[in-house]
Coordinates of all heavy atoms in Angstrom, one line a residue:
Chain T
Q103 N 117.9 -44.5 3.9 CA 117.8 -44.9 2.5 C 118.9 -44.3 1.6 O 119.4 -43.2 1.9 CB 116.4 -44.4 1.9 CG 115.3 -45.1 2.5 CD 114.0 -44.7 1.8 OE1 113.1 -44.1 2.3 NE2 113.8 -45.2 0.5
S104 N 119.3 -45.1 0.6 CA 120.4 -44.7 -0.2 C 120.1 -45.3 -1.7 O 119.6 -46.3 -1.8 CB 121.7 -45.1 0.2 OG 121.9 -46.4 0.3
P105 N 120.5 -44.5 -2.7 CA 120.9 -43.1 -2.7 C 119.8 -42.1 -2.4 O 118.6 -42.6 -2.7 CB 121.6 -42.9 -4.2 CG 120.7 -43.9 -4.9 CD 120.4 -45.0 -4.2
S106 N 120.0 -41.0 -2.1 CA 119.0 -40.0 -1.9 C 118.5 -39.5 -3.2 O 117.3 -39.2 -3.4 CB 119.5 -38.7 -1.1 OG 120.6 -38.3 -1.6
N107 N 119.4 -39.4 -4.2 CA 118.9 -39.1 -5.5 C 119.6 -40.0 -6.5 O 120.8 -40.4 -6.4 CB 119.3 -37.7 -5.9 CG 118.4 -36.7 -5.3 OD1 117.3 -36.5 -5.8 ND2 118.8 -36.0 -4.2
K108 N 118.8 -40.4 -7.5 CA 119.4 -41.3 -8.7 C 118.8 -40.8 -10.0 O 117.6 -40.7 -10.1 CB 119.1 -42.7 -8.4 CG 119.6 -43.6 -9.5 CD 121.1 -43.8 -9.5 CE 121.4 -44.9 -10.4 NZ 123.0 -45.0 -10.5
V109 N 119.7 -40.5 -10.9 CA 119.3 -40.1 -12.2 C 119.8 -41.3 -13.2 O 121.0 -41.6 -13.1 CB 119.9 -38.8 -12.7 CG1 119.4 -38.5 -14.1 CG2 119.4 -37.7 -11.8
T110 N 119.0 -41.8 -14.0 CA 119.4 -42.9 -14.8 C 118.8 -42.8 -16.3 O 117.9 -42.0 -16.4 CB 119.0 -44.3 -14.3 OG1 119.7 -45.4 -15.0 CG2 117.5 -44.5 -14.3
E111 N 119.3 -43.5 -17.1 CA 118.7 -43.5 -18.5 C 117.7 -44.6 -18.7 O 117.9 -45.7 -18.0 CB 119.9 -43.7 -19.5 CG 120.8 -42.5 -19.5 CD 122.0 -42.6 -20.5 OE1 122.1 -43.8 -21.1 OE2 122.7 -41.7 -20.8
K112 N 116.7 -44.3 -19.5 CA 115.8 -45.3 -19.8 C 116.3 -46.7 -20.2 O 117.4 -46.6 -21.1 CB 114.9 -44.8 -20.9 CG 113.7 -45.7 -21.3 CD 112.9 -45.1 -22.4 CE 111.9 -46.1 -23.1 NZ 111.2 -45.5 -24.2
G113 N 115.9 -47.8 -19.6 CA 116.4 -49.1 -20.0 C 117.4 -49.5 -19.0 O 117.8 -50.7 -19.1
K114 N 118.1 -48.7 -18.2 CA 119.0 -49.1 -17.2 C 118.4 -49.8 -16.0 O 117.2 -49.5 -15.6 CB 120.0 -48.0 -16.8 CG 120.6 -47.3 -17.9 CD 121.9 -48.1 -18.3 CE 122.7 -47.3 -19.3 NZ 124.0 -48.0 -19.7
D115 N 119.1 -50.6 -15.3 CA 118.5 -51.2 -13.9 C 119.0 -50.3 -12.9 O 120.2 -49.7 -12.8 CB 119.1 -52.5 -13.8 CG 118.7 -53.5 -14.8 OD1 117.8 -53.2 -15.7 OD2 119.1 -54.7 -14.8
V116 N 118.2 -50.1 -11.8 CA 118.5 -49.5 -10.6 C 118.4 -50.2 -9.3 O 117.4 -51.0 -9.3 CB 117.9 -48.1 -10.4 CG1 118.3 -47.2 -11.6 CG2 116.4 -48.3 -10.4
E117 N 119.1 -50.0 -8.3 CA 119.0 -50.6 -6.9 C 118.9 -49.5 -5.9 O 119.7 -48.6 -5.8 CB 120.1 -51.5 -6.7 CG 120.1 -52.8 -7.4 CD 121.2 -53.8 -6.9 OE1 122.0 -53.4 -6.1 OE2 121.1 -55.0 -7.3
L118 N 117.8 -49.7 -5.1 CA 117.6 -48.7 -4.0 C 117.6 -49.5 -2.7 O 117.1 -50.6 -2.6 CB 116.2 -48.0 -4.2 CG 115.9 -47.4 -5.6 CD1 114.5 -46.8 -5.5 CD2 116.9 -46.3 -5.8
R119 N 118.4 -48.9 -1.7 CA 118.6 -49.6 -0.5 C 117.9 -49.0 0.7 O 117.8 -47.7 0.7 CB 120.1 -49.6 -0.2 CG 120.5 -50.3 1.1 CD 122.0 -49.9 1.4 NE 122.4 -50.3 2.7 CZ 123.1 -51.4 3.1 NH1 123.5 -52.3 2.1 NH2 123.3 -51.5 4.4
C120 N 117.5 -49.8 1.5 CA 116.8 -49.4 2.8 C 117.4 -50.1 4.0 O 117.4 -51.3 4.0 CB 115.3 -49.6 2.8 SG 114.4 -49.2 4.2
D121 N 117.8 -49.4 5.1 CA 118.3 -49.9 6.3 C 117.3 -49.5 7.4 O 117.3 -48.3 7.7 CB 119.6 -49.3 6.6 CG 120.4 -50.2 7.5 OD1 119.9 -51.1 8.3 OD2 121.7 -50.0 7.6
P122 N 116.5 -50.5 7.8 CA 115.5 -50.1 8.8 C 115.9 -49.9 10.2 O 117.1 -50.1 10.4 CB 114.6 -51.4 8.8 CG 115.5 -52.6 8.4 CD 116.5 -51.9 7.5
I123 N 115.1 -49.5 11.0 CA 115.5 -49.3 12.4 C 115.7 -50.7 13.0 O 115.1 -51.6 12.8 CB 114.3 -48.6 13.2 CG1 114.1 -47.2 12.7 CG2 114.5 -48.5 14.8 CD1 113.0 -46.4 13.2
S124 N 116.8 -50.7 13.8 CA 117.2 -52.0 14.4 C 116.1 -52.6 15.3 O 115.5 -51.9 16.0 CB 118.5 -51.7 15.3 OG 118.8 -52.9 15.9
G125 N 115.8 -53.9 15.0 CA 114.8 -54.6 15.8 C 113.4 -54.5 15.3 O 112.6 -55.2 15.7
H126 N 113.2 -53.7 14.2 CA 111.9 -53.6 13.5 C 111.8 -54.9 12.6 O 112.7 -55.0 11.6 CB 111.7 -52.4 12.8 CG 111.4 -51.1 13.6 ND1 110.9 -49.9 13.0 CD2 111.3 -51.0 15.0 CE1 110.7 -49.0 14.0 NE2 110.8 -49.7 15.2
T127 N 110.7 -55.6 12.8 CA 110.6 -56.8 11.9 C 109.8 -56.6 10.6 O 109.9 -57.3 9.7 CB 109.9 -57.9 12.8 OG1 108.6 -57.4 13.1 CG2 110.7 -58.2 14.0
A128 N 109.1 -55.4 10.6 CA 108.2 -55.2 9.4 C 108.9 -54.1 8.6 O 109.4 -53.1 9.1 CB 106.8 -54.7 9.8
L129 N 108.9 -54.3 7.2 CA 109.5 -53.2 6.4 C 108.6 -53.1 5.2 O 108.1 -54.1 4.5 CB 110.9 -53.7 5.9 CG 111.8 -52.8 5.1 CD1 113.2 -52.9 5.5 CD2 111.4 -52.9 3.6
Y130 N 108.4 -51.9 4.7 CA 107.6 -51.6 3.6 C 108.2 -50.7 2.5 O 109.1 -49.9 2.9 CB 106.4 -50.6 4.1 CG 105.5 -51.2 5.2 CD1 106.0 -51.2 6.5 CD2 104.2 -51.6 5.0 CE1 105.2 -51.7 7.6 CE2 103.4 -52.2 5.9 CZ 103.9 -52.1 7.2 OH 103.2 -52.7 8.3
W131 N 107.9 -50.8 1.3 CA 108.3 -49.9 0.3 C 107.0 -49.3 -0.2 O 106.0 -50.0 -0.5 CB 109.0 -50.6 -0.8 CG 110.4 -51.0 -0.6 CD1 110.8 -52.3 -0.2 CD2 111.6 -50.1 -0.7 NE1 112.3 -52.2 0.0 CE2 112.7 -50.9 -0.3 CE3 111.8 -48.8 -1.1 CZ2 114.1 -50.4 -0.4 CZ3 113.1 -48.3 -1.1 CH2 114.2 -49.1 -0.9
Y132 N 107.0 -48.0 -0.4 CA 106.0 -47.2 -1.1 C 106.6 -46.3 -2.1 O 107.8 -46.0 -2.1 CB 105.3 -46.3 0.0 CG 104.3 -46.9 0.8 CD1 104.7 -47.5 2.1 CD2 103.0 -47.0 0.6 CE1 103.8 -48.1 3.0 CE2 102.0 -47.6 1.4 CZ 102.5 -48.2 2.6 OH 101.6 -48.8 3.5
R133 N 105.7 -45.9 -3.1 CA 106.2 -45.0 -4.1 C 105.4 -43.7 -4.1 O 104.1 -43.8 -4.0 CB 106.1 -45.7 -5.6 CG 106.6 -44.8 -6.6 CD 106.6 -45.6 -7.9 NE 105.4 -46.1 -8.5 CZ 105.2 -46.7 -9.6 NH1 106.3 -46.9 -10.2 NH2 104.1 -47.2 -10.1
Q134 N 106.1 -42.5 -4.0 CA 105.3 -41.3 -4.0 C 105.5 -40.6 -5.4 O 106.6 -40.1 -5.7 CB 105.8 -40.5 -2.9 CG 105.0 -39.1 -2.7 CD 105.5 -38.4 -1.5 OE1 106.6 -38.7 -0.9 NE2 104.8 -37.4 -1.0
S135 N 104.4 -40.5 -6.1 CA 104.6 -39.7 -7.3 C 103.7 -38.3 -7.2 O 102.8 -38.3 -6.3 CB 103.9 -40.4 -8.5 OG 104.6 -41.7 -8.6
L136 N 104.1 -37.4 -7.9 CA 103.5 -36.0 -7.7 C 102.0 -36.2 -7.9 O 101.6 -36.6 -9.0 CB 104.1 -35.0 -8.7 CG 103.7 -33.6 -8.5 CD1 104.2 -33.1 -7.2 CD2 104.3 -32.8 -9.7
G137 N 101.3 -35.7 -7.0 CA 99.8 -35.7 -7.1 C 99.2 -37.1 -6.9 O 97.9 -37.2 -7.0
Q138 N 99.9 -38.2 -6.7 CA 99.3 -39.4 -6.7 C 99.4 -40.1 -5.2 O 99.0 -41.2 -5.1 CB 100.1 -40.4 -7.6 CG 100.1 -39.9 -9.0 CD 98.7 -40.0 -9.6 OE1 97.9 -41.0 -9.4 NE2 98.2 -38.9 -10.2
G139 N 99.9 -39.4 -4.3 CA 99.9 -39.9 -2.9 C 100.9 -41.1 -2.8 O 101.9 -41.1 -3.7
L140 N 100.8 -41.9 -1.9 CA 101.6 -43.0 -1.7 C 101.1 -44.3 -2.2 O 100.0 -44.7 -1.9 CB 101.9 -43.1 -0.2 CG 103.2 -42.4 0.4 CD1 102.8 -40.9 0.4 CD2 103.4 -42.8 1.8
E141 N 101.8 -45.0 -3.0 CA 101.4 -46.2 -3.6 C 102.2 -47.3 -3.0 O 103.4 -47.4 -3.0 CB 101.7 -46.2 -5.1 CG 101.3 -47.5 -5.9 CD 101.8 -47.4 -7.3 OE1 102.5 -46.4 -7.7 OE2 101.5 -48.3 -8.1
F142 N 101.5 -48.3 -2.3 CA 102.1 -49.4 -1.8 C 102.7 -50.4 -2.7 O 102.1 -50.6 -3.8 CB 101.1 -50.2 -0.9 CG 101.5 -51.6 -0.6 CD1 102.4 -51.8 0.5 CD2 101.0 -52.7 -1.2 CE1 102.9 -53.0 0.9 CE2 101.4 -54.0 -0.9 CZ 102.3 -54.2 0.2
L143 N 103.9 -50.8 -2.4 CA 104.7 -51.7 -3.4 C 104.8 -53.1 -2.8 O 104.4 -54.1 -3.3 CB 106.1 -51.1 -3.7 CG 106.1 -49.8 -4.4 CD1 107.5 -49.3 -4.6 CD2 105.4 -49.9 -5.8
I144 N 105.5 -53.2 -1.6 CA 105.7 -54.5 -1.1 C 105.9 -54.4 0.4 O 106.3 -53.4 1.0 CB 107.0 -55.1 -1.8 CG1 107.2 -56.6 -1.4 CG2 108.2 -54.3 -1.4 CD1 108.3 -57.2 -2.2
Y145 N 105.6 -55.5 1.2 CA 105.7 -55.6 2.6 C 106.4 -56.9 3.0 O 106.1 -58.0 2.5 CB 104.2 -55.5 3.1 CG 104.0 -56.0 4.5 CD1 104.6 -55.3 5.7 CD2 103.3 -57.2 4.8 CE1 104.4 -55.7 6.9 CE2 103.2 -57.5 6.2 CZ 103.6 -56.8 7.3 OH 103.4 -57.2 8.6
F146 N 107.4 -56.7 4.0 CA 108.1 -57.8 4.6 C 107.8 -57.9 6.0 O 107.7 -56.9 6.8 CB 109.6 -57.6 4.3 CG 110.1 -57.6 3.0 CD1 110.2 -56.5 2.3 CD2 110.5 -58.9 2.4 CE1 110.7 -56.5 1.0 CE2 111.1 -58.9 1.1 CZ 111.2 -57.6 0.4
Q147 N 107.5 -59.1 6.5 CA 107.4 -59.3 8.0 C 108.2 -60.4 8.4 O 107.8 -61.7 8.1 CB 105.9 -59.5 8.3 CG 105.7 -59.9 9.8 CD 106.2 -58.9 10.7 OE1 106.0 -57.8 10.6 NE2 106.9 -59.5 11.7
G148 N 109.2 -60.2 9.2 CA 110.1 -61.3 9.7 C 110.6 -62.2 8.6 O 110.9 -61.8 7.5
N149 N 110.3 -63.5 8.8 CA 110.7 -64.5 7.8 C 109.7 -65.0 6.9 O 109.8 -65.9 6.2 CB 111.4 -65.7 8.6 CG 112.6 -65.5 9.4 OD1 113.5 -64.6 8.7 ND2 112.8 -65.9 10.6
S150 N 108.5 -64.3 7.0 CA 107.4 -64.7 6.1 C 107.6 -64.3 4.8 O 108.4 -63.4 4.5 CB 106.1 -64.1 6.7 OG 105.9 -64.5 8.1
A151 N 106.8 -65.0 3.9 CA 106.9 -64.6 2.4 C 106.4 -63.2 2.3 O 105.4 -62.9 2.9 CB 106.0 -65.5 1.6
P152 N 106.9 -62.3 1.6 CA 106.6 -60.9 1.4 C 105.3 -60.8 0.6 O 104.9 -61.7 -0.2 CB 107.8 -60.3 0.6 CG 108.4 -61.4 -0.1 CD 108.3 -62.6 0.7
D153 N 104.6 -59.8 1.0 CA 103.3 -59.4 0.3 C 103.7 -58.5 -0.9 O 104.1 -57.3 -0.7 CB 102.3 -58.7 1.1 CG 101.0 -58.3 0.6 OD1 101.0 -58.1 -0.7 OD2 100.0 -58.4 1.3
K154 N 103.7 -59.0 -2.2 CA 104.2 -58.3 -3.3 C 103.1 -57.7 -4.1 O 103.2 -57.3 -5.2 CB 105.0 -59.2 -4.3 CG 106.1 -60.0 -3.6 CD 106.8 -60.9 -4.6 CE 108.0 -61.7 -4.0 NZ 108.6 -62.6 -4.9
S155 N 101.9 -57.7 -3.6 CA 100.7 -57.3 -4.3 C 100.7 -55.9 -5.0 O 99.9 -55.7 -5.8 CB 99.4 -57.5 -3.4 OG 99.5 -56.6 -2.2
G156 N 101.6 -55.0 -4.4 CA 101.6 -53.7 -4.9 C 102.6 -53.5 -6.1 O 102.7 -52.4 -6.7
L157 N 103.5 -54.4 -6.4 CA 104.4 -54.2 -7.3 C 103.8 -54.0 -8.7 O 103.0 -54.8 -9.1 CB 105.4 -55.5 -7.4 CG 106.2 -55.6 -6.2 CD1 107.2 -56.8 -6.3 CD2 107.2 -54.4 -5.9
P158 N 104.1 -52.9 -9.5 CA 103.3 -52.6 -10.7 C 103.6 -53.5 -11.9 O 102.8 -53.5 -12.8 CB 103.7 -51.1 -10.9 CG 105.1 -50.9 -10.2 CD 105.1 -51.8 -9.0
S159 N 104.9 -54.0 -11.9 CA 105.2 -55.0 -13.0 C 106.2 -55.9 -12.6 O 106.8 -55.8 -11.5 CB 105.6 -54.1 -14.2 OG 106.9 -53.6 -14.1
D160 N 106.6 -56.8 -13.5 CA 107.6 -57.8 -13.1 C 109.1 -57.2 -13.3 O 110.0 -57.9 -13.0 CB 107.4 -59.1 -14.0 CG 107.6 -58.8 -15.5 OD1 107.8 -57.6 -15.9 OD2 107.3 -59.7 -16.3
R161 N 109.1 -55.9 -13.7 CA 110.4 -55.2 -13.7 C 110.8 -54.9 -12.3 O 112.0 -54.5 -12.1 CB 110.3 -54.1 -14.6 CG 110.1 -54.3 -16.0 CD 110.2 -53.0 -16.9 NE 109.2 -52.0 -16.5 CZ 109.4 -50.9 -15.9 NH1 110.6 -50.7 -15.4 NH2 108.4 -50.0 -15.5
F162 N 109.8 -54.9 -11.4 CA 110.1 -54.5 -10.0 C 110.3 -55.7 -9.1 O 109.5 -56.7 -9.2 CB 108.9 -53.7 -9.4 CG 108.8 -52.3 -10.0 CD1 108.4 -52.1 -11.2 CD2 109.1 -51.3 -9.1 CE1 108.3 -50.8 -11.7 CE2 109.1 -49.9 -9.7 CZ 108.6 -49.7 -10.9
S163 N 111.3 -55.8 -8.2 CA 111.5 -56.8 -7.3 C 112.2 -56.3 -6.1 O 112.8 -55.2 -6.0 CB 112.4 -57.9 -7.9 OG 113.7 -57.5 -8.2
A164 N 112.0 -57.0 -5.0 CA 112.7 -56.5 -3.8 C 113.1 -57.8 -3.0 O 112.4 -58.8 -3.1 CB 111.7 -55.7 -2.9
E165 N 114.1 -57.7 -2.2 CA 114.6 -58.8 -1.2 C 114.9 -58.0 0.1 O 115.3 -56.8 0.1 CB 115.7 -59.4 -1.9 CG 117.0 -58.7 -2.1 CD 118.0 -59.7 -2.6 OE1 117.7 -60.7 -3.1 OE2 119.2 -59.3 -2.6
R166 N 114.9 -58.8 1.1 CA 115.3 -58.4 2.5 C 116.2 -59.5 3.0 O 115.8 -60.6 3.3 CB 114.0 -58.2 3.4 CG 114.5 -57.6 4.6 CD 113.3 -57.4 5.5 NE 113.7 -56.6 6.7 CZ 112.9 -56.4 7.8 NH1 111.6 -56.9 7.8 NH2 113.3 -55.8 8.8
T167 N 117.5 -59.1 3.2 CA 118.5 -60.1 3.6 C 118.7 -60.1 5.1 O 118.8 -59.0 5.8 CB 119.8 -59.8 3.0 OG1 120.2 -58.4 3.2 CG2 119.8 -60.0 1.5
G168 N 118.6 -61.3 5.8 CA 118.9 -61.4 7.1 C 117.8 -60.7 8.0 O 118.0 -60.3 9.2
G169 N 116.7 -60.4 7.5 CA 115.6 -59.8 8.1 C 115.9 -58.3 8.5 O 115.2 -57.6 9.3
S170 N 116.9 -57.7 7.7 CA 117.2 -56.3 8.1 C 117.2 -55.5 6.8 O 116.1 -55.1 6.3 CB 118.6 -56.3 8.7 OG 118.9 -54.9 9.0
V171 N 118.4 -55.3 6.2 CA 118.5 -54.5 5.0 C 117.6 -55.0 3.8 O 117.6 -56.1 3.6 CB 120.0 -54.3 4.6 CG1 120.1 -53.6 3.2 CG2 120.7 -53.6 5.6
S172 N 117.0 -54.0 3.2 CA 116.2 -54.4 1.9 C 116.7 -53.6 0.7 O 117.1 -52.5 0.8 CB 114.7 -54.1 2.2 OG 114.0 -54.3 1.0
T173 N 116.6 -54.2 -0.5 CA 116.9 -53.7 -1.8 C 115.7 -53.8 -2.7 O 115.2 -54.8 -2.9 CB 118.2 -54.4 -2.4 OG1 119.3 -54.3 -1.4 CG2 118.5 -53.7 -3.7
L174 N 115.3 -52.7 -3.3 CA 114.4 -52.6 -4.3 C 115.0 -52.4 -5.6 O 115.9 -51.5 -5.8 CB 113.4 -51.5 -4.0 CG 112.3 -51.3 -5.1 CD1 111.2 -52.4 -5.0 CD2 111.6 -49.8 -4.9
T175 N 114.8 -53.4 -6.5 CA 115.4 -53.3 -7.9 C 114.4 -53.0 -8.9 O 113.4 -53.7 -8.9 CB 116.1 -54.7 -8.2 OG1 117.1 -54.9 -7.1 CG2 116.8 -54.7 -9.5
I176 N 114.7 -52.2 -9.8 CA 113.9 -51.9 -10.9 C 114.7 -52.2 -12.3 O 115.7 -51.5 -12.4 CB 113.4 -50.3 -11.0 CG1 112.7 -50.0 -9.6 CG2 112.4 -50.2 -12.0 CD1 112.4 -48.5 -9.5
Q177 N 114.2 -53.0 -13.0 CA 114.9 -53.4 -14.2 C 114.5 -52.7 -15.4 O 113.1 -52.3 -15.5 CB 114.8 -54.9 -14.4 CG 115.5 -55.9 -13.4 CD 115.3 -57.4 -13.6 OE1 114.2 -57.8 -13.9 NE2 116.4 -58.1 -13.6
R178 N 115.2 -52.5 -16.3 CA 114.8 -51.8 -17.6 C 113.9 -50.6 -17.3 O 112.8 -50.4 -17.8 CB 114.1 -52.8 -18.5 CG 114.9 -54.0 -18.8 CD 114.2 -55.0 -19.7 NE 113.0 -55.4 -19.1 CZ 112.7 -56.3 -18.2 NH1 113.8 -57.0 -17.7 NH2 111.5 -56.7 -17.8
T179 N 114.5 -49.5 -16.5 CA 113.7 -48.6 -16.1 C 112.9 -47.8 -17.3 O 113.5 -47.6 -18.4 CB 114.5 -47.4 -15.4 OG1 115.6 -47.1 -16.1 CG2 115.0 -48.1 -14.0
Q180 N 111.7 -47.2 -17.0 CA 111.0 -46.4 -17.8 C 110.8 -45.0 -17.3 O 110.9 -44.9 -16.0 CB 109.6 -47.1 -18.0 CG 109.7 -48.5 -18.6 CD 110.4 -48.5 -20.0 OE1 109.9 -47.9 -20.9 NE2 111.3 -49.5 -20.2
Q181 N 110.3 -44.1 -18.0 CA 110.1 -42.7 -17.5 C 109.1 -42.7 -16.5 O 109.2 -41.8 -15.5 CB 109.9 -41.8 -18.7 CG 111.0 -41.5 -19.6 CD 110.9 -40.5 -20.7 OE1 109.7 -40.3 -21.1 NE2 111.9 -39.8 -21.2
E182 N 108.1 -43.6 -16.6 CA 107.0 -43.5 -15.6 C 107.4 -44.1 -14.3 O 106.6 -44.0 -13.3 CB 105.7 -44.3 -16.1 CG 106.1 -45.7 -16.4 CD 106.3 -46.0 -18.0 OE1 106.8 -45.1 -18.6 OE2 105.9 -47.2 -18.4
D183 N 108.6 -44.6 -14.2 CA 109.2 -45.1 -12.9 C 109.7 -43.9 -12.0 O 109.9 -44.2 -10.9 CB 110.2 -46.1 -13.1 CG 109.8 -47.4 -13.9 OD1 108.7 -47.7 -13.8 OD2 110.7 -48.0 -14.5
S184 N 109.9 -42.8 -12.6 CA 110.3 -41.6 -12.0 C 109.4 -41.2 -10.9 O 108.2 -41.1 -11.0 CB 110.4 -40.4 -12.8 OG 111.4 -40.6 -13.9
A185 N 110.0 -41.2 -9.6 CA 109.2 -41.0 -8.4 C 110.1 -41.0 -7.2 O 111.3 -41.2 -7.4 CB 108.1 -42.1 -8.2
V186 N 109.6 -40.7 -6.1 CA 110.3 -40.9 -4.9 C 109.9 -42.2 -4.2 O 108.7 -42.5 -3.9 CB 110.0 -39.9 -3.9 CG1 110.8 -40.0 -2.4 CG2 110.4 -38.4 -4.4
Y187 N 110.9 -43.0 -3.9 CA 110.7 -44.4 -3.3 C 111.0 -44.3 -1.8 O 112.1 -44.0 -1.4 CB 111.5 -45.5 -4.1 CG 111.0 -45.7 -5.4 CD1 111.4 -44.9 -6.5 CD2 110.2 -46.7 -5.8 CE1 110.9 -45.0 -7.8 CE2 109.6 -46.8 -7.1 CZ 110.1 -46.0 -8.0 OH 109.6 -46.2 -9.3
L188 N 109.9 -44.5 -1.0 CA 110.0 -44.4 0.4 C 110.0 -45.8 1.0 O 109.1 -46.7 0.7 CB 108.7 -43.6 1.0 CG 108.7 -42.2 0.6 CD1 107.3 -41.6 1.0 CD2 109.8 -41.4 1.1
C189 N 110.9 -45.9 2.0 CA 110.9 -47.1 2.8 C 110.4 -46.8 4.2 O 110.7 -45.7 4.7 CB 112.3 -47.7 2.9 SG 112.6 -49.2 3.9
A190 N 109.8 -47.8 4.9 CA 109.3 -47.6 6.2 C 109.5 -48.9 7.0 O 109.5 -50.0 6.3 CB 107.9 -47.1 6.3
S191 N 109.6 -48.8 8.2 CA 109.7 -50.0 9.1 C 108.9 -49.8 10.3 O 108.5 -48.7 10.7 CB 111.1 -50.3 9.6 OG 111.7 -49.3 10.4
S192 N 108.4 -50.9 10.9 CA 107.6 -50.8 12.2 C 108.0 -52.0 13.0 O 108.7 -53.0 12.5 CB 106.2 -50.8 11.8 OG 105.7 -52.1 11.5
R193 N 107.6 -51.9 14.2 CA 107.9 -53.0 15.2 C 107.4 -54.3 14.8 O 107.8 -55.4 15.1 CB 107.4 -52.5 16.6 CG 108.3 -51.4 17.2 CD 107.8 -51.0 18.6 NE 108.5 -49.8 19.1 CZ 108.1 -48.5 18.9 NH1 107.0 -48.4 18.2 NH2 108.8 -47.6 19.4
G194 N 106.3 -54.2 14.1 CA 105.7 -55.5 13.6 C 105.0 -56.4 14.6 O 104.8 -57.5 14.4
T195 N 104.7 -55.7 15.8 CA 104.2 -56.6 16.9 C 102.7 -56.7 16.7 O 102.1 -57.6 17.5 CB 104.4 -56.0 18.2 OG1 104.0 -54.6 18.2 CG2 105.9 -56.0 18.5
G196 N 102.1 -56.0 15.9 CA 100.6 -56.2 15.7 C 100.2 -55.2 14.6 O 100.9 -54.2 14.3
S197 N 99.0 -55.5 14.1 CA 98.4 -54.5 13.1 C 98.1 -53.2 13.8 O 97.8 -53.2 15.0 CB 97.1 -55.2 12.5 OG 96.5 -54.4 11.6

Side-chain angles (χ1 to χ4, degrees):
Chain T
Q103 292 188 246
S104 62
S106 55
N107 280 286
K108 176 72 176 179
V109 179
T110 190
E111 295 180 346
K112 178 182 174 180
K114 301 282 190 181
D115 297 351
V116 296
E117 286 189 350
L118 307 176
R119 176 189 167 105
C120 173
D121 202 340
I123 293 173
S124 178
H126 281 192
T127 61
L129 187 146
Y130 304 75
W131 284 97
Y132 284 85
R133 179 168 69 175
Q134 183 177 18
S135 305
L136 191 62
Q138 298 299 313
L140 270 67
E141 176 188 7
F142 166 72
L143 297 177
I144 189 168
Y145 163 66
F146 295 89
Q147 171 57 49
N149 295 320
S150 302
D153 184 329
K154 306 179 181 180
S155 60
L157 294 178
S159 78
D160 58 8
R161 296 187 295 105
F162 288 72
S163 63
E165 63 178 21
R166 187 178 185 192
T167 54
S170 182
V171 172
S172 176
T173 302
L174 177 69
T175 301
I176 309 173
Q177 295 179 310
R178 305 181 302 281
T179 52
Q180 304 295 314
Q181 289 183 334
E182 60 263 29
D183 299 335
S184 296
V186 177
Y187 290 82
L188 293 171
C189 176
S191 68
S192 75
R193 294 183 180 87
T195 52
S197 182

